[in-house]
Amino acid sequence: MDSCDIHRVKSEHRNEGVAREARADTLKLVGRNNRFFSKIHLSVRIATLAALSGAPAAIAAGFDLPTNRTDLSEADLKRVADVTRPTRDFAKAEQYEAMQAGAATSVDPATEDSFSHISANIPFDEEQNFKLGNALFRKLWVSAPSSTQASDGLGPFFNARSCMSCHVNDGRGKPPEGGPSATSMFLRLARTAKTSEEKKAIANADIVNFPDPVYGHQLQDLAVPGLAAEGRMAISYREEKVTLGDGEVVSLRRPDYAATNLAYGPLDAATTISARMAPAMIGLGLIEAIPEADIIAHADLDDADGDGISGKAAIVRDRRSGKIALGRFGWKAQNATVRDQSADAFANDIGISTPDRPDAHGDCTRAEEKCLEMPTGVQKRLGDEEAPGPILELVTFYSENLAVPARRKASFPRTLQGKRLFYETGCISCHVPKFVTHRDTANKAQSFQLIWPYSDFLLHDMGEGLADGQQVGLASGREWRTPPLWGIGLTRTVSGHSFFLHDGRARDLTEAILWHGGEAEKARNAFSSLSRDDREALITFLESL
């Protein structure tokens, strides 16, 4: 952060009652105009998604999601609409812009631990739960049976022994880059629906896709002693030259993936493989606190405004309640809550059962008989799962409350130049700058915060270049959820690398932008046409986030 930002942060947010004052600041800021966000009362029927390419004919028919916020008065709705409207003034930083997670923002110095701080407005009596969750996030699980009975149950197949193994320093993963380990990156395995029953399950949002009959949902490259791992991920790259508008040539690397050393026979012919990299963990609770109506307001399935952007909402089920909800976590928005995302990681990445995913054999299938014969770590005196409810709850609490770092150099002229270009090239059509979170959140730390995630959390067709051919619920093989950008400028500091996109193919932010296609092609071409100085300014803006 620059000195001006630091001064503003300290004067506005670091005194007594910071959470209460930040909510008051939000009310002041949003009360300056009465023009209402025209999309907030859009009538959204998920049945219209039936026309989507590759989706079953009646997918999600009859489901409704909220199109109105119920936590605010009409006057407050208008004020929120005003404060979240993108700025047109790039002469100075916006008020509170440096605090991109509101009162929850961490103002600690930028270090490798920048993604590991507790949200700044968490009350003291909840810090213990955060620390316990942190310890469980770092916990190394071992195979059963073991003398450390509270720590056994690993696998039998797995990709990592702990959450931290994938999310090093709570940051993003990376490709193996020729090394022996692919711990923070793995292959998803899935096929589309075949039978009428399977299509109905997709249409009802009861399942997002179907696993390989032998290898399940995920290729696990590690196994407990006495069991052969399923196989390994193989990656090869082809360099492709791209010439920008001013003649500069950039080399992009196109990956090819394969599942090799398969120990239990070939993959099914219908199985698709998709490489996924572990995302950063910051700001997840705030993302969950964004009202569904405010995300849906940005959806434009039929591109009614003619801007070429037609983001759509992902419809899933909250695994705990069984109710229909908006998907907002995962590369294809397949999970509605941080808890669902955590339970999936326990089950698929580590092979640990939880109340929400109670199978103690993890991703073993009926075809992997020896895997199903291996002992589990269930200890009846501790509960019916290897990670009982309190463990899942603490890891979820920790994941929900990892702080987003404050902006750096938000008020610098070069950053503001890049911000203007980011807006003018159309990037904010998907990377929506701001939201105000729900007032009635379970955790008051996430309540009524003005946040700057730079994402609409919708699904977008990103073109053939990024396509993986794998349908996940409503997301086709060409569609991905818009990832939030906050913290992206600290990737090298926290994670020690600069690999981006879902599979780390991009080696820097310029390459990441140039891979954009489909709905993002217009913005990508606008970036490509900028002068080198302007492109560098835009990257400077991203690095400030």
Side-chain angles (χ1 to χ4, degrees):
M1 298 174 63
D2 60 89
S3 58
C4 294
D5 290 334
I6 292 174
H7 178 74
R8 182 165 62 251
V9 165
K10 288 182 177 179
S11 63
E12 292 170 353
H13 292 285
R14 298 200 73 178
N15 47 357
E16 291 293 326
V18 63
R20 181 181 67 255
E21 291 183 7
R23 286 193 290 272
D25 286 339
T26 300
L27 270 176
K28 289 178 185 177
L29 184 60
V30 302
R32 301 187 177 196
N33 192 298
N34 286 326
R35 188 161 68 88
F36 188 52
F37 184 21
S38 62
K39 289 187 177 181
I40 201 69
H41 288 304
L42 282 177
S43 176
V44 176
R45 288 288 296 180
I46 302 307
T48 60
L49 295 173
L52 289 172
S53 174
I59 192 165
F63 290 150
D64 284 311
L65 285 178
T67 56
N68 300 289
R69 289 187 66 159
T70 59
D71 62 316
L72 302 176
S73 67
E74 189 72 15
D76 280 349
L77 282 171
K78 294 178 180 179
R79 294 167 183 164
V80 167
D82 180 65
V83 74
T84 54
R85 186 176 299 110
T87 185
R88 294 182 180 179
D89 180 6
F90 302 101
K92 61 183 182 300
E94 296 173 71
Q95 194 172 15
Y96 311 120
E97 185 175 1
M99 300 294 286
Q100 57 186 341
T105 307
S106 167
V107 295
D108 290 282
T111 69
E112 64 180 12
D113 296 321
S114 288
F115 290 179
S116 300
H117 299 301
I118 188 172
S119 294
N121 58 347
I122 290 292
F124 179 76
D125 59 359
E126 292 184 355
E127 289 187 13
Q128 181 178 0
N129 287 340
F130 181 85
K131 292 175 181 177
L132 290 170
N134 182 23
L136 291 167
F137 195 82
R138 296 169 180 270
K139 176 188 182 79
L140 293 173
W141 295 84
V142 298
S143 58
S146 170
S147 58
T148 56
Q149 293 184 355
S151 296
D152 65 355
L154 177 69
F157 294 128
F158 60 99
N159 292 106
R161 291 182 58 198
S162 72
C163 304
M164 187 64 76
S165 298
C166 294
H167 303 276
V168 177
N169 296 334
D170 300 294
R172 68 180 65 232
K174 67 181 183 67
E177 294 302 295
S181 173
T183 301
S184 60
M185 188 172 167
F186 54 83
L187 291 179
R188 287 279 193 199
L189 309 175
R191 63 169 176 83
T192 56
K194 293 179 180 179
T195 67
S196 59
E197 290 79 11
E198 290 178 347
K199 292 176 182 178
K200 183 178 179 181
I202 292 283
N204 289 336
D206 294 328
I207 195 169
V208 296
N209 53 27
F210 298 89
D212 183 84
V214 174
Y215 294 96
H217 295 278
Q218 194 163 306
L219 186 72
Q220 275 97 12
D221 58 359
L222 297 170
V224 298
L227 187 66
E230 291 183 319
R232 299 195 66 82
M233 174 176 60
I235 314 173
S236 60
Y237 294 104
R238 292 171 284 151
E239 295 288 337
E240 299 180 357
K241 304 295 184 182
V242 175
T243 302
L244 306 184
D246 59 2
E248 181 178 347
V249 177
V250 176
S251 183
L252 304 182
R253 59 177 191 173
R254 181 181 296 276
D256 292 302
Y257 297 101
T260 63
N261 302 106
L262 295 173
Y264 304 95
L267 294 174
D268 187 83
T271 297
T272 60
I273 62 175
S274 180
R276 307 288 176 84
M277 200 169 72
M281 296 292 297
I282 56 174
L284 300 185
L286 291 166
I287 294 172
E288 188 171 328
I290 301 172
E292 290 180 329
D294 286 2
I295 294 176
I296 292 170
H298 293 280
D300 185 12
L301 186 63
D302 298 316
D303 191 19
D305 59 9
D307 66 352
I309 308 297
S310 55
K312 72 187 185 195
I315 309 304
V316 300
R317 287 193 184 271
D318 182 312
R319 186 170 287 109
R320 194 178 189 188
S321 69
K323 295 180 180 179
I324 290 296
L326 177 72
R328 58 183 86 193
F329 298 104
W331 286 105
K332 298 215 174 190
Q334 66 269 26
N335 284 313
T337 65
V338 179
R339 181 181 172 115
D340 280 355
Q341 189 79 354
S342 299
D344 272 4
F346 267 122
N348 292 323
D349 301 345
I350 312 177
I352 296 293
S353 59
T354 64
D356 297 14
R357 296 287 300 271
D359 190 344
H361 286 96
D363 197 32
C364 292
T365 68
R366 286 180 293 179
E368 296 169 317
E369 295 180 1
K370 189 172 182 180
C371 178
L372 296 174
E373 294 171 357
M374 302 300 289
T376 72
V378 175
Q379 309 291 332
K380 287 299 182 181
R381 62 185 178 82
L382 300 176
D384 294 327
E385 299 86 22
E386 293 159 322
I391 290 179
L392 179 59
E393 290 164 6
L394 287 167
V395 170
T396 299
F397 183 84
Y398 173 74
S399 302
E400 289 173 338
N401 291 289
L402 283 163
V404 178
R407 290 276 303 280
R408 294 139 332 270
K409 304 181 180 180
S411 60
F412 277 34
R414 186 68 164 167
T415 305
L416 294 170
Q417 176 191 354
K419 177 182 176 182
R420 173 179 59 80
L421 293 163
F422 187 82
Y423 283 48
E424 290 178 352
T425 52
C427 298
I428 64 167
S429 295
C430 299
H431 290 284
V432 173
K434 297 172 280 185
F435 289 93
V436 173
T437 61
H438 206 283
R439 189 189 290 275
D440 303 322
T441 56
N443 189 325
K444 292 302 180 184
Q446 281 98 45
S447 172
F448 206 54
Q449 299 296 320
L450 173 62
I451 63 173
W452 309 67
Y454 281 94
S455 172
D456 61 6
F457 303 100
L458 297 173
L459 298 170
H460 293 276
D461 183 336
M462 294 300 293
E464 193 59 35
L466 289 177
D468 67 348
Q470 189 170 104
Q471 182 180 345
V472 180
L474 296 184
S476 74
R478 291 167 56 103
E479 291 177 319
W480 300 91
R481 180 203 69 154
T482 306
L485 298 181
W486 52 13
I488 198 169
L490 288 173
T491 299
R492 184 173 292 280
T493 300
V494 171
S495 302
H497 65 80
S498 58
F499 296 109
F500 299 103
L501 300 178
H502 65 280
D503 57 1
R505 69 179 66 187
R507 293 163 289 196
D508 56 40
L509 291 170
T510 296
E511 287 187 28
I513 295 171
L514 294 177
W515 270 110
H516 284 49
E519 295 175 41
E521 186 171 2
K522 184 177 179 180
R524 179 260 187 216
N525 290 342
F527 172 79
S528 178
S529 298
L530 295 175
S531 68
R532 180 170 184 170
D533 181 73
D534 280 349
R535 291 196 304 271
E536 291 176 350
L538 192 152
I539 298 300
T540 296
F541 163 70
L542 292 176
E543 290 174 342
S544 78
L545 296 179

